[in-house]
Amino acid sequence: MPDASHSAPRRLDVVIVGGGLAGLYAIHRLRRLGLAVRAYEAGAGIGGTWFWNRYPGARCDVESLEYSYSFDEQLQQDWKWPERYGTQPEILKYINHVADRFDLRRDVQLNTRIKSAIFDAQANEWTVKTGTGEEIRARYCVMAAGNLSTPRVPDFKGLGDFAGRWYHSGLWPHEGVDFSGLKVGVIGTGSSGVQMIPIIARQARHLTVFQRTANFSLPARNMPMPADKERRHKAEYPARRAAAMETPFAIGGHAKPTRSALEVPENERNAAYEDKWQEGGSISYLYAYTDLLVNKASNDTASEFVRNKIRDIVKDRRTAELLAPKDHPIGTKRLCLDTGYYETYNRPNVSLVDVRSDPIDRITPDGLTLKSGAAFELDALVFATGFDAMTGALNEIDVATTDGANLRAHWEGGPLTYLGVMVEGFPNMFVITGPGSPGVKTQMIAAIEQHVDWIAGAIDHLHSHQLDRIEPTAAAERAWVDHVNKVADATLYPLANSWYMGANIPGKPRVFMPYVGGFDRYKKHCDAIAARGYEGFTLSRHETVAA
Ligand code: NA7
């Protein structure tokens, strides 16, 4: 790597951290304001999540006709999704196509990790430094660093001594991994584990799954894209996108529920769940009734239906009971979508080990041992153990100001933001789908477009009013955080120990991070705030000092 520490700093209007779906759209949208922009991406390629997560079976859990950019009608008409749900290679191909089509690559710098971002209050500009010492100065800083981009390998003793190969789902080798003939261990049964386990099971000599928490999973019912479905969807694309904006998950095509699960007789309710189970997809299931995410008794009916499905599918009684989640209501952790997940446990070469009752004690040269002393011989070990979600990427960067603010300190008790988009004390820094935003609870690309469009609107407003600084007030930030908590507390979400809560990272503050009041409500609120002249923000003009 060249040492760029002595060259003159590059000057931009907007420095963007991250070259995934959010960073790329930010380049496109902010360029249209005539701004000089550039994105810095740690990976050797663009695509963020879809660049890194190359584990077997990696696939989006939102249907591909929905999970795509909406900003260009011709793009959405031209692109052909071969399957109901996009695979990782297919989505990465799409992202690369978008980058070429809109000439985005000239403003992306790859293999560049941002180490610090310091706001100079006097000069009214951000100075961002890369891992090689390169310096970039810009009026605005857009953090598009991702919510699930800081892979986490638990701090197990002895990992350095393991004689086999080990992998993390989010850092998967580009050349792939051949597990043929190997004794493989997978730790973790979240979305990544649930997607990879059926595929690894077909390759491995033996697969041992180490499960701490059983997760609910529904059949994806993936299939080749039906031509008539694609035709119908594309004929109505703009209207469908607009309709999605009016839903809580920013996903269209599902009839709005009208009744509580408890208003319906049991046989009728189970028939409705059966229809959703056969249809496949998580939104459809959780949208069966109005109150599945707010009323425990209603949720119990939906949870029990899936537990019974697991008991029907998995032949070994003990394994079935271990796989049937009982410690959280369905939907309060990310609901997984699978292809043959539960069926995999009927294979003779697959075994399930409960590491909740008997936790992993240490990794050994030839496998791992549990606290009880039980030992497992393994040739390869896969960590599907998730990410330091939502705050991990920003906490890895030294974000501070010359006025003495420091983001890690500001977020010590849990992340504080206004609208999930800005942070008090950090002027002109925008976060895409950060904590306090509904992003991770929605069709992410819709949320990304909404956030970036809102930010573009705010910058445009500043410029047209001869202003150059925007920052939320402490009161507005406090009120938003309180609102996010209040909304979450009225739901069942806090009942689960999830990454939404920071519960997967030992020592991380337990704060419910996403806004779960619905994308529709959030978007209207953001629009109203802008229409009222950016209520809750201080907008000002600063005499800039030439550097
Ligand atoms: P997740 O959903 O965070 O899942 C991680 C899994 O790893 C989960 O089952 C964890 O159990 C398990 N885990 C984590 N640490 C340990 C230790 N120390 N011992 C045993 N098991 C452990 O990550 P994914 O990558 O699957 O999915 C992330 C998101 O990507 C997903 O929500 C979608 O939005 C796409 P736990 O539940 O914490 O007990």
Side-chain angles (χ1 to χ4, degrees), residues 154 156 188-192 212-213 333-334 356 384-387 499:
F156 292 126
T189 50
S191 301
S192 305
R212 185 164 71 182
T213 308
K333 289 179 92 131
R334 180 79 175 201
R356 164 79 56 202
T385 44
F387 302 84
W499 57 256

Side-chain angles (χ1 to χ4, degrees), residues 71-90:
F71 68 83
D72 188 89
E73 170 64 2
Q74 203 51 49
L75 167 67
Q76 61 187 9
Q77 291 297 332
D78 291 350
W79 187 260
K80 282 190 79 65
W81 293 103
E83 292 178 84
R84 181 177 178 186
Y85 301 93
T87 58
Q88 176 272 329
E90 192 61 39

Side-chain angles (χ1 to χ4, degrees), residues 50-225:
W50 300 108
F51 175 82
W52 295 103
N53 287 264
R54 295 167 187 249
Y55 61 83
R59 191 186 281 281
C60 189
D61 56 6
V62 176
E63 294 193 40
S64 42
L65 287 162
E66 296 277 338
Y67 189 82
S68 47
Y69 287 119
S70 71
F71 68 83
D72 188 89
E73 170 64 2
Q74 203 51 49
L75 167 67
Q76 61 187 9
Q77 291 297 332
D78 291 350
W79 187 260
K80 282 190 79 65
W81 293 103
E83 292 178 84
R84 181 177 178 186
Y85 301 93
T87 58
Q88 176 272 329
E90 192 61 39
I91 297 170
L92 191 58
K93 191 168 136 199
Y94 167 77
I95 296 171
N96 277 282
H97 167 80
V98 171
D100 291 332
R101 186 172 179 136
F102 297 96
D103 188 23
L104 305 179
R105 284 185 207 279
R106 67 184 157 89
D107 285 326
V108 183
Q109 185 166 320
L110 300 173
N111 298 305
T112 306
R113 192 171 282 280
I114 298 302
K115 291 291 180 194
S116 68
I118 311 293
F119 181 72
D120 181 335
Q122 268 255 288
N124 195 38
E125 69 179 8
W126 283 91
T127 298
V128 166
K129 275 197 186 148
T130 71
T132 55
E134 189 184 345
E135 208 173 284
I136 304 106
R137 297 203 186 150
R139 170 66 40 79
Y140 304 102
C141 176
V142 172
M143 295 295 191
N147 284 289
L148 295 160
S149 52
T150 311
R152 184 181 161 267
V153 175
D155 195 12
F156 292 126
K157 291 188 293 261
L159 182 57
D161 304 331
F162 183 55
R165 303 286 296 270
W166 64 267
Y167 311 91
H168 186 283
S169 61
L171 295 169
W172 205 259
H174 287 204
E175 63 280 13
V177 181
D178 182 7
F179 292 109
S180 305
L182 300 183
K183 284 175 280 175
V184 182
V186 171
I187 304 176
T189 50
S191 301
S192 305
V194 161
Q195 288 187 333
M196 70 171 73
I197 284 165
I199 296 174
I200 296 179
R202 292 202 291 271
Q203 274 185 14
R205 173 140 68 97
H206 192 90
L207 170 63
T208 309
V209 177
F210 297 93
Q211 173 187 277
R212 185 164 71 182
T213 308
N215 251 328
F216 287 100
S217 185
L218 303 178
R221 311 262 180 233
N222 186 44
M223 62 177 90
M225 180 67 72

Side-chain angles (χ1 to χ4, degrees), residues 25 45 71 125 130 132 206 214 219 222 230 236 265 312 344 361 363 388 409 419 442 457 468 518 535 539:
Y25 181 58
F71 68 83
E125 69 179 8
T130 71
T132 55
H206 192 90
N222 186 44
E230 182 184 1
E236 300 164 355
D312 286 348
T344 297
D361 181 46
I363 312 293
D388 185 353
L419 305 177
T442 66
D468 57 15
E535 191 176 63
L539 277 50

Side-chain angles (χ1 to χ4, degrees), residues 103-378:
D103 188 23
L104 305 179
R105 284 185 207 279
R106 67 184 157 89
D107 285 326
V108 183
Q109 185 166 320
L110 300 173
N111 298 305
T112 306
R113 192 171 282 280
I114 298 302
K115 291 291 180 194
S116 68
I118 311 293
F119 181 72
D120 181 335
Q122 268 255 288
N124 195 38
E125 69 179 8
W126 283 91
T127 298
V128 166
K129 275 197 186 148
T130 71
T132 55
E134 189 184 345
E135 208 173 284
I136 304 106
R137 297 203 186 150
R139 170 66 40 79
Y140 304 102
C141 176
V142 172
M143 295 295 191
N147 284 289
L148 295 160
S149 52
T150 311
R152 184 181 161 267
V153 175
D155 195 12
F156 292 126
K157 291 188 293 261
L159 182 57
D161 304 331
F162 183 55
R165 303 286 296 270
W166 64 267
Y167 311 91
H168 186 283
S169 61
L171 295 169
W172 205 259
H174 287 204
E175 63 280 13
V177 181
D178 182 7
F179 292 109
S180 305
L182 300 183
K183 284 175 280 175
V184 182
V186 171
I187 304 176
T189 50
S191 301
S192 305
V194 161
Q195 288 187 333
M196 70 171 73
I197 284 165
I199 296 174
I200 296 179
R202 292 202 291 271
Q203 274 185 14
R205 173 140 68 97
H206 192 90
L207 170 63
T208 309
V209 177
F210 297 93
Q211 173 187 277
R212 185 164 71 182
T213 308
N215 251 328
F216 287 100
S217 185
L218 303 178
R221 311 262 180 233
N222 186 44
M223 62 177 90
M225 180 67 72
D228 59 329
K229 178 179 164 122
E230 182 184 1
R231 211 175 312 111
R232 271 200 319 273
H233 202 107
K234 287 188 170 176
E236 300 164 355
Y237 236 142
R240 281 175 173 268
R241 297 289 195 189
M245 299 288 100
E246 299 299 321
T247 69
F249 304 110
I251 298 176
H254 301 287
K256 202 170 176 178
T258 52
R259 286 186 297 174
S260 156
L262 303 180
E263 280 178 65
V264 179
E266 191 181 348
N267 57 348
E268 193 185 317
R269 197 169 53 214
N270 283 337
Y273 291 144
E274 181 65 35
D275 280 352
K276 306 281 182 190
W277 176 271
Q278 295 305 333
E279 181 189 332
S282 54
I283 299 302
S284 169
Y285 194 83
L286 294 175
Y287 227 36
Y289 294 104
T290 53
D291 55 351
L292 294 182
L293 292 170
V294 293
N295 181 331
K296 177 76 168 54
S298 293
N299 185 291
D300 285 344
T301 65
S303 295
E304 188 60 13
F305 179 86
V306 176
R307 282 192 287 265
N308 285 334
K309 282 287 182 191
I310 298 168
R311 291 173 183 128
D312 286 348
I313 296 168
V314 180
K315 297 201 175 88
D316 178 68
R317 285 302 87 218
R318 198 183 144 272
T319 306
E321 278 316 312
L322 268 180
L323 287 167
K326 295 169 194 96
D327 74 335
H328 65 280
I330 190 166
T332 56
K333 289 179 92 131
R334 180 79 175 201
L335 185 49
C336 303
L337 286 192
D338 71 273
T339 302
Y341 176 64
Y342 294 116
E343 291 81 350
T344 297
Y345 293 91
N346 293 332
R347 294 177 66 99
N349 70 331
V350 175
S351 41
L352 180 68
V353 174
D354 174 21
V355 295
R356 164 79 56 202
S357 61
D358 190 1
I360 295 168
D361 181 46
R362 64 176 303 129
I363 312 293
T364 60
D366 53 5
L368 62 79
T369 54
L370 306 183
K371 286 266 186 292
S372 65
F376 295 84
E377 269 187 30
L378 302 168

